[in-house]
Amino acid sequence: MPKIIIHDTIHSKALDFLSEQEGLEIIFVDADDRSKLLANLLDAEAIILRYLPFDRECIEASKRLNVISRHGVGYDNIDMESANMFSIPVATIGDVNSVTVAELTIYLILSSAKQGPRHNMAVREGNWKIRENADAFDLAGKNVLVLGFGRIGKKVAKRIQSFETKVFVCDPYISQDLIKDAGCIPVPKYADILHNMDIVTIHVPLNTETELMINKNFVDKMKNGYVLVNTARGPIVDTSSVGEALVSGKLFSVACDVFDPEPPYNNNPILNSPRSILTPHVGGLTQECSIRSALRAAENALAGVKGVLDKKFLVNPQVLNK
Ligand code: NAD
C-alpha cells in the first residue's frame, strides 16, 4: 500500500481528501520526531512538507520517494542539490497563496504608512497627544520598488498602483515588456534608483544570489525615511544593517512577515523599533488559503504516488526524464 508522510500539521480538509482515496497509508510525523521521519522515509512514496528542513540525510533515507510536496512555494528548506542528484521531484503549490501574500504585503505597507498598530495602542493607553506628533504619510505620489515580479510581486504591483503610486520593478529574469505591460517601470539595476524610492517590497526567492541582498550597501544607498517590507524570506535581509538604520532614523519603518531565524530572537533590533510592523509568517495563512494550500499539497503528493505529476508544479521537472 503506497505510503504518504505528512510532516507537521496540515488542514483537516486535505486530510479528508487523502482519507477518501483508496489503498493509501497515511503516516503523521511530528515536527520534532526525526527518527520516525527517517524510519518512514525508507518506504514512503510521497511526503508533504511544511517549513521543516529536508536535508541530505532525509534524501538518502528516501528509497522510494516519488515526490517531495511542499506546502508552500519557497523550497529553500529542501536540499535541492541532493534531490536533483537522486532524481526526486519537488512540487510546490504554485499560485494558490499568491493573492493572500499580496494582500498581507498591502496591509504591511498601509500599516507602516498609517502607523496603525502604534496609533491603536495610543488610543487604548489614553495617549491622545500622539496626534501632536503624528507622522503617518500618504501613499499617493510615492515611489515603490518591487523586487521580483513573479506570482506575488505582480499582484502587489497591481494592488499598490491603485493608491496612485509610481511602481518600479527590478526582475532581470523575465521579459521587461511584461513589467511595462503591467503599467510599471522596469529597472535593470536597483542600485541606481534606491536613493529615490519611498517603499521597497521584497518578492524574490531565497537562494545564494538573494541571501543578504538587503545589506549595509543597499541600506546606505536608500533615501532617508523609507519603508522596507519583507514577506519573502528572512535571510534575504541583513538584520543588523536594517536594525542600525532603524535606530539612526534612516529607516522610517520595517514591516516583516519573515525572520531569520523564525521565531526571531528577542534581541533582533527590528523587534525593538516601535514603528516596525511584524507578523508571524502568516503570509499564506488566511482561512481560505490554508485550505487551498493544503489541498494542492495533498493533490501533488497523490499525483506523485500515481506517477501523474503535473510539471507546472515542479521546481525540478528535468528529473522526470532520468
Ligand atoms: P516566484 O518564483 O513566482 O517569483 C519570484 C520572482 O523573483 C521571479 O520572477 C524571479 O525572476 C525573480 N527574481 C529571482 N531572483 C531575483 C533577483 N536577484 N532580483 C530580482 N528578481 C529576482 O515566487 P513567488 O511565489 O512570487 O514568491 C516570492 C517570495 O515570497 C519567495 O521568497 C517565497 O518564498 C515567498 N513567500 C512567502 C510567503 C509567506 O508566507 N510570507 C508565502 C509564499 C511565498
Side-chain angles (χ1 to χ4, degrees):
M1 190 183 283
K3 180 192 278 186
I4 294 185
I5 299 174
I6 298 178
H7 194 19
D8 213 350
T9 52
I10 63 171
H11 198 280
S12 61
K13 291 242 193 263
L15 297 180
D16 294 345
F17 166 78
L18 289 173
S19 315
E20 283 160 14
Q21 312 300 318
E22 273 180 31
L24 210 56
E25 185 186 0
I26 301 170
I27 299 283
F28 297 93
V29 178
D30 289 340
D32 54 0
D33 201 342
R34 181 129 177 130
S35 53
K36 185 174 178 186
L37 174 69
L38 291 174
N40 278 283
L41 280 172
L42 266 178
D43 58 353
E45 293 188 23
I47 178 166
I48 297 177
L49 190 68
R50 295 203 72 167
Y51 306 106
L52 298 161
F54 204 74
D55 54 19
R56 176 76 179 217
E57 190 184 17
C58 295
I59 290 187
E60 283 183 346
S62 307
K63 302 299 178 203
R64 299 183 57 191
L65 213 50
N66 289 332
V67 67
I68 301 168
S69 175
R70 258 289 287 135
H71 185 296
V73 292
Y75 48 92
D76 41 277
N77 55 332
I78 299 170
D79 178 349
M80 285 304 300
E81 204 180 313
S82 302
N84 290 338
M85 188 184 293
F86 289 88
S87 297
I88 303 176
V90 174
T92 74
I93 58 172
D95 62 357
V96 299
N97 66 6
S98 49
V99 70
T100 309
V101 183
E103 285 187 8
L104 183 88
T105 306
I106 298 299
Y107 157 78
L108 291 173
I109 293 173
L110 268 172
S111 289
S112 299
K114 307 304 170 191
Q115 287 294 292
R118 208 157 58 94
H119 288 161
N120 174 58
M121 193 55 78
V123 175
R124 289 166 196 274
E125 288 172 347
N127 177 16
W128 203 251
K129 279 192 155 204
I130 197 169
R131 298 176 75 250
E132 289 163 22
N133 297 309
D135 56 6
F137 61 85
D138 293 340
L139 289 182
K142 294 293 187 294
N143 290 335
V144 180
L145 174 63
V146 176
L147 291 174
F149 204 61
R151 292 167 292 227
I152 298 169
K154 270 188 204 125
K155 289 188 166 64
V156 169
K158 184 177 174 189
R159 284 157 177 75
I160 202 70
Q161 275 172 321
S162 67
F163 289 91
E164 299 173 37
T165 57
K166 202 186 244 186
V167 179
F168 298 75
V169 173
C170 180
D171 190 331
Y173 298 108
I174 58 163
S175 154
Q176 302 301 286
D177 285 342
L178 276 177
I179 299 172
K180 283 187 209 149
D181 292 348
C184 305
I185 302 157
V187 177
K189 286 190 191 145
Y190 55 75
D192 299 341
I193 58 148
L194 285 177
H195 63 279
N196 212 14
M197 294 299 111
D198 300 294
I199 295 160
V200 175
T201 181
I202 308 165
H203 304 289
V204 295
L206 171 62
N207 54 37
T208 47
E209 184 200 1
T210 61
E211 188 172 0
L212 299 182
M213 184 180 189
I214 312 299
N215 52 22
K216 183 159 167 36
N217 192 23
F218 187 107
V219 173
D220 284 349
K221 287 196 166 80
M222 294 279 321
K223 185 174 173 176
N224 285 346
Y226 69 95
V227 172
L228 181 69
V229 181
N230 187 10
T231 58
R233 283 291 182 266
I236 295 169
V237 170
D238 170 18
T239 307
S240 64
S241 300
V242 165
E244 275 169 31
L246 270 169
V247 171
S248 73
K250 181 169 175 81
L251 258 170
F252 178 75
S253 164
V254 175
C256 295
D257 184 47
V258 287
F259 302 85
D260 181 25
E262 291 184 359
Y265 296 135
N266 285 342
N267 65 357
N268 181 326
I270 297 174
L271 267 62
N272 296 325
S273 161
R275 284 207 181 76
S276 298
I277 315 286
L278 312 171
T279 50
H281 202 151
V282 290
L285 297 186
T286 58
Q287 297 169 37
E288 299 87 347
C289 189
S290 297
I291 297 173
R292 287 196 302 271
S293 302
L295 279 174
R296 175 63 61 72
E299 283 160 9
N300 284 342
L302 190 63
V305 168
K306 291 182 172 171
V308 292
L309 281 168
D310 186 336
K311 278 189 179 175
K312 78 169 181 272
F313 297 123
L314 298 186
V315 293
N316 56 350
Q318 74 279 5
V319 302
L320 289 180
N321 303 328
K322 288 191 184 164

